[in-house]
Amino acid sequence: DQQVKQNSPSLSVQEGRISILNCDYTNSMFDYFLWYKKYPAEGPTFLISISSIKDKNEDGRFTVFLNKSAKHLSLHIVPSQPGDSAVYFCAASGGTSYDKVIFGPGTSLSVIP
Amino acid sequence: SAVISQKPSRDICQRGTSLTIQCQVDSQVTMMFWYRQQPGQSLTLIATANQGSEATYESGFVIDKFPISRPNLTFSTLTVSNMSPEDSSIYLCSVVGLAGGRTDTQYFGPGTRLTVL
């Protein structure tokens, strides 16, 4: 049973446009959510996170939106740059770093120059 | 900022052999974890490496197959024992409590790409 879902395996976006990556979760006990970016041959890099007490968190070009009632979160990248091309993993946990983090299957983003 | 390194970065091994992967952090960390990423799949937690005691394994993973050590707060090893081609994966360590990082976030090493023939 996949608790964290990313239904789009891949996404292509023109440079300068907005990239929207979606994530759904099933476990209502999750209250902390993270996005990681992964380049080939490298480990995942932490990008941005959001606690369930918030519905939005912004960091530069990256914004994460959380809709708890829908058990849905999304990552917006504006404007998209070619260097953003990577696999993006959505992850969720029970609230602290000591809780098990469950990762989604990832979405491969390609930003086309 | 602190650095997480893994050795080896990649290896090709024969069926039935064992490989030990090292994870070294250049500062003390609170927690260390080992993950596996099989081809085309997401990251799956293998175990939590506990300093000075036995690791805590997730369902589907056992100590005999994946012995883990964590002798101090900066170092851990994962051994993949009696390997088969199904063990071909990227193995990643992650840490919590990294100097200069967020206290509520796991940070990952670069990974070890293992191919078993």
Side-chain angles (χ1 to χ4, degrees), chain A residues 6 32 34 36 38 40-46 49 57 89-90 95-106, chain B residues 10 30-31 33 35 37 40-45 58-59 90 92 96 102-111 113:
Chain A
Q6 293 176 258
Y32 186 64
L34 311 94
Y36 285 84
K38 186 179 185 301
E42 295 183 14
T45 302
F46 169 73
S49 63
N57 188 27
F89 291 100
C90 173
T96 75
S97 54
Y98 300 89
D99 291 318
K100 180 178 175 180
V101 176
I102 307 294
F103 285 82
Chain B
R10 58 176 60 227
T30 310
M31 303 188 74
F33 304 90
Y35 285 81
Q37 184 184 19
Q41 298 192 27
S42 188
L43 287 76
T44 302
L45 179 63
E58 296 299 309
S59 176
I90 299 173
L92 299 131
V96 168
R102 297 169 58 101
T103 57
D104 56 358
T105 298
Q106 291 188 31
Y107 293 89
F108 285 83
R113 182 179 293 273

Side-chain angles (χ1 to χ4, degrees), chain A residues 33-107:
Chain A
F33 305 90
L34 311 94
W35 285 93
Y36 285 84
K37 178 172 72 174
K38 186 179 185 301
Y39 294 118
E42 295 183 14
T45 302
F46 169 73
L47 197 55
I48 193 169
S49 63
I50 188 167
S51 163
S52 61
I53 62 173
K54 295 185 175 182
D55 54 19
K56 176 183 175 181
N57 188 27
E58 191 172 353
D59 184 0
R61 296 187 297 115
F62 304 90
T63 303
V64 56
F65 295 92
L66 174 62
N67 182 334
K68 288 189 296 271
S69 61
K71 295 191 179 68
H72 176 84
L73 62 155
S74 60
L75 175 68
H76 293 210
I77 306 174
V78 182
S80 300
Q81 300 173 353
D84 296 328
S85 298
V87 177
Y88 288 78
F89 291 100
C90 173
S93 76
T96 75
S97 54
Y98 300 89
D99 291 318
K100 180 178 175 180
V101 176
I102 307 294
F103 285 82
T107 296

Side-chain angles (χ1 to χ4, degrees), chain B residues 16 20 22 33 36 38 41 51 56 60-61 77 86 98-99 109:
Chain B
T20 296
Q22 299 179 3
F33 304 90
R36 178 175 75 181
Q38 293 178 298
Q41 298 192 27
Q51 194 254 329
T56 304
F61 297 97
T77 66
E86 292 71 34
L98 196 63

